[in-house]
Every structure is written in structure tokens, then in C-alpha cells.
Amino acid sequence: MARTARAFWIRSPGHGEIREEPLADPGPGEVLVRTRCSGISRGTETLVFGGGVPPGQYRVMRAPFQEGDFPGPLKYGYLNVGTVEEGPGDLVGRTVFSLHPHQDLFTVPADAVFPVPEGVPAERAVLAGTVETAVNALWDASPLVGDRIAVVGAGMVGCCVARLASRIPGARVQLVDVDPGRARTADALGVGFAAPAEAMGDCDLVFHASATEAGLTRSLELLASEGEVVELSWYGDRRVILPLGGDFHSQRLAVRASQVGMISPARRSRYDHAERLGLALRLLADPAFDALLTGESAFEDLPSVLPRLADGSLPALCHRIVYPWEDPRCSV
């Protein structure tokens, strides 16, 4: 009997469903993975769910194992932790991370899965793709000992950046968000917190991750002379007005884009994508990242859960999806 798998598909913008589909047996150099848990990247993934990818970005926004095309039907996602059931002997039985959409069973090349290190729980390992984005941002920014740093936007990416930046000796790191509830998250991450109006200025670096025009404007206002904003937000098809008058030229301020699709030029000669992701997985040995795991739902409920995450009625940082054979939580 032919094998089948069950996968979550975006049928059309704002509407999803779980479909049964054929599953190929693994061939030479491939693995069969049974998903233990997957994570929803609330920013990018909900934007894709709502059909917010502009046509000019269809190619660059494709996920590694996406099927279908924007705006739908398509299968999208890239935070997956599972167990290798078939494949090379050194991988069988291993807990692995991959950039695969929400699906209970799947076959991929063996070099597309990354063993989760000892000491990193599977439930935390779903953050690997987000920590990888934060690593690339820090490589782009090159923060120095003692820098004054603000992170505007306390979502998944912003929180990961804040935690990593907090390990720089002497750095002053403040997480800035309009949601006062994020103060508890900041405390768990070991960084300061402020509402935008109360944020400390005179910053050497500001990482912007709120995906709002107001957040980007405030990021520029927080800079010291010759400071830099590292822009991590992706706005999809929305236009943003940026105030480049005032102090922008006289203070020699800068705005730099950072995007995980390419290795930062600062480390491109030393790291490839696999090595960068391996670094992110090792960094997840830090239990402080558990503060980003704020909820979970069953795979069967994903068609009703994603619309609630998209419209904000279900608040979350990283929302985990757990699969039927994981009871009750995804853990090593």
C-alpha cells in the first residue's frame, strides 16, 4: 500500500486546510522524517497566509520545501522538528530540525536535516530558524563591547536578537514594544524593557523588528550621532514613509537591511547556510529562549488556529503545533 502524509495547505488567502497526499519512499541519500512539532513564524507566515506577498517577491519568498505558488494554494512553513525513521544509519532515530512546512511525515534529502544537539529540547529547537535570523543580524551589525542597543519590536526575531545581544560584555540592551506584557518576556531574557515613548536614546545600534512605520520612525529617533538602524522587518506589499529630514543627515544616521536569505558579508567567507543553522541550534542550549514558546495547538486544529494568529485574537510569540503521536508535549 502506498504511503500517504497529511499536510497543511493555504487554500486561498485567509483559508487553510489539511490535505492527504502521496508520500515518496526515501531513496539513496534521503530520510523519512516523522514530525514531532512545528512552529509558526507569526510575522512572515501569517503575512503569507493573508496573501500579503507582492508579486515581485514571489521568487525570493519561497520556502525551501514549499509546494504550490503565491498567493495559493500552497504549502508553507520552515520550523520543523522531527525524528528520522528511515535513512542513513547515523541519522535513524535522531531528533532533527528542518526547514519543512507543517506536515506529519515527509521525505527530504539527508543534508536538509540538522541533528538537534544534546541538551536542546525538541520543543525549543523549533526556534532554530528564528535564532539563525538573529545571528545573521548581529553579524550584519557587528555590535561592540559596551554598545548601547535597542531592539524595537518584541516578536520572535526581536526577542532572539535581544537575548544574543545581551551576552556582549558591557552592552546596554533594551527591548521596546507597545505591549506592556512583553516586559515579562524581556525580564526572562535578561534585558531591559520600555514602551516606545520611554525608551532610552543615544543608541549606537537599533534593531527594528516591529514591521510598523511607527516603530521604524522611533528607531531612528533613538540613535546617537552616526548610529545605525538594522531593519529586520518585512512589510510585504505595504508602503512605509520614513522621515529622512531632521537629524538624519546632520547626525549621519544609517538604515541597513538585514535578511536571512543571504549570509552576512561579514561572515560569508567562513560560514555557509548549514554551518550558520548549526550555530543557531547550539545557541539554543540557552534555556532563556523558552520564554518565546507561548502556546501550542494540535495539528488537526491548525486551519482554525492560523487565522486567529493572523488577526491577533490568539496572541503568541512562537506558537507550536504538536502532532498526534506527541502526548502531551513535544520534548526530547
Side-chain angles (χ1 to χ4, degrees):
M1 182 179 296
R3 299 194 213 203
T4 60
R6 305 183 74 222
F8 176 75
W9 282 74
I10 300 170
R11 184 175 69 249
S12 60
H15 303 280
E17 62 189 10
I18 293 175
R19 298 181 180 180
E20 189 169 292
E21 55 190 58
L23 177 65
D25 290 330
E30 293 185 325
V31 292
L32 174 68
V33 179
R34 182 179 295 271
T35 303
R36 300 177 62 175
C37 53
S38 54
I40 296 175
S41 174
R42 189 169 178 267
T44 300
E45 199 165 341
T46 58
L47 191 147
V48 169
F49 179 71
V53 179
Q57 295 297 303
Y58 284 179
R59 182 184 61 83
V60 297
M61 281 301 298
R62 287 192 67 85
F65 293 100
Q66 175 180 326
E67 293 184 35
D69 296 304
F70 302 107
L74 78 157
K75 183 167 62 176
Y76 198 86
Y78 44 82
L79 301 174
N80 188 296
V81 176
T83 301
V84 176
E85 294 203 333
E86 297 179 25
D90 61 334
L91 286 174
V92 172
R94 295 290 301 272
T95 300
V96 295
F97 175 86
S98 67
L99 298 167
H100 199 279
H102 310 284
Q103 183 168 322
D104 60 359
L105 290 164
F106 57 90
T107 299
V108 294
D111 61 5
V113 300
F114 300 85
V116 175
E118 293 292 331
V120 178
E123 60 183 8
R124 192 188 303 154
V126 296
L127 295 168
T130 311
V131 172
E132 184 184 15
T133 300
V135 167
N136 210 57
L138 287 165
W139 285 348
D140 279 332
S142 299
L144 301 176
V145 171
D147 269 0
R148 295 152 295 184
I149 300 169
V151 182
V152 178
M156 286 174 63
V157 172
C159 286
C160 288
V161 169
R163 178 58 182 174
L164 295 182
S166 74
R167 315 306 291 273
I168 300 168
R172 183 195 81 187
V173 181
Q174 188 172 57
L175 196 55
V176 180
D177 200 273
V178 295
D179 180 0
R182 290 288 190 256
R184 294 187 297 274
T185 306
D187 185 60
L189 295 172
V191 300
F193 177 82
E198 284 76 48
M200 291 186 287
D202 200 31
C203 292
D204 303 290
L205 280 171
V206 178
F207 294 90
H208 179 239
S210 80
T212 66
E213 184 177 297
L216 181 53
T217 298
R218 185 61 178 141
S219 296
L220 281 170
E221 294 170 348
L222 295 176
L223 288 176
S225 179
E226 299 195 340
E228 181 176 82
V229 172
V230 178
E231 177 58 276
L232 290 159
S233 301
W234 192 69
Y235 299 90
D237 55 5
R238 290 179 292 138
R239 292 184 177 273
V240 174
I241 297 174
L242 185 61
L244 299 182
D247 291 336
F248 184 78
H249 286 282
S250 64
Q251 297 297 309
R252 296 175 54 85
L253 306 182
V255 179
R256 172 201 292 265
S258 180
Q259 207 276 336
V260 72
M262 297 180 66
I263 303 289
S264 168
R267 293 294 180 272
R268 200 170 292 166
S269 65
R270 296 181 53 202
Y271 280 83
D272 60 22
H273 288 272
E275 291 168 329
R276 186 182 62 183
L277 185 53
L279 171 60
L281 281 163
R282 295 193 299 275
L283 290 169
L284 281 167
D286 180 359
F289 286 109
D290 287 341
L292 277 64
L293 305 173
T294 55
E296 67 181 30
S297 300
F299 176 59
E300 299 288 339
D301 297 331
L302 188 49
S304 62
V305 167
L306 198 46
R308 295 170 59 206
L309 288 169
D311 67 19
S313 60
L314 179 61
L317 284 170
C318 180
H319 193 88
R320 285 192 311 275
I321 302 302
V322 295
Y323 290 70
W325 34 80
E326 287 295 328
D327 184 24
R329 299 180 68 203
C330 170
S331 59
V332 172

